[in-house]
Amino acid sequence: MSAIDNIPASSEELPILKASDLAEDIQTRILELSQEATHTYSVEKDIATFLKKELDQLYGPTWHVIVGKSFGSYVTHEQGYFIYFYIGELAFLLFKSG
């Protein structure tokens, strides 16, 4: 069972996981928080700010959060702390650096 399977089926748009090296429990929490953020905020910057604050508090600094419909990236991250997924047309890139 993947982390996406743990998210309630009543959600309007389920996350589509593209890449991750997160522990299952952290991945599940990030996907849940991301869905919560998309229901609470409509501006991409606000979604990213909410997620960064939550992740820094839950898992320690330093998390980087990129949310948008079109972006390119090349990142270096702490092993075991990277996820890339979509919710609807929004792409989410989250990673932790040491």
Side-chain angles (χ1 to χ4, degrees), residues 62-78:
T62 301
W63 283 88
H64 305 273
V65 180
I66 300 151
V67 178
K69 294 179 183 165
S70 178
F71 62 84
S73 67
Y74 181 86
V75 301
T76 302
H77 63 90
E78 202 173 305

Side-chain angles (χ1 to χ4, degrees), residues 3-19:
I4 294 174
D5 296 332
N6 295 333
I7 295 173
S10 63
S11 301
E12 292 172 15
E13 302 220 37
L14 293 176
I16 300 170
L17 185 64
K18 295 297 186 178

Side-chain angles (χ1 to χ4, degrees), residues 3-57:
I4 294 174
D5 296 332
N6 295 333
I7 295 173
S10 63
S11 301
E12 292 172 15
E13 302 220 37
L14 293 176
I16 300 170
L17 185 64
K18 295 297 186 178
S20 175
D21 69 355
L22 289 168
E24 193 77 20
D25 61 325
I26 298 174
Q27 180 174 301
T28 299
R29 188 66 185 128
I30 286 174
L31 295 174
E32 290 169 349
L33 286 169
S34 298
Q35 283 192 294
E36 179 184 332
T38 59
H39 287 99
T40 305
Y41 303 100
S42 57
V43 178
E44 295 158 1
K45 178 184 68 98
D46 295 337
I47 294 168
T49 299
F50 169 82
L51 290 171
K52 179 183 174 32
K53 286 179 181 176
E54 289 291 318
L55 295 175
D56 279 350
Q57 183 178 15

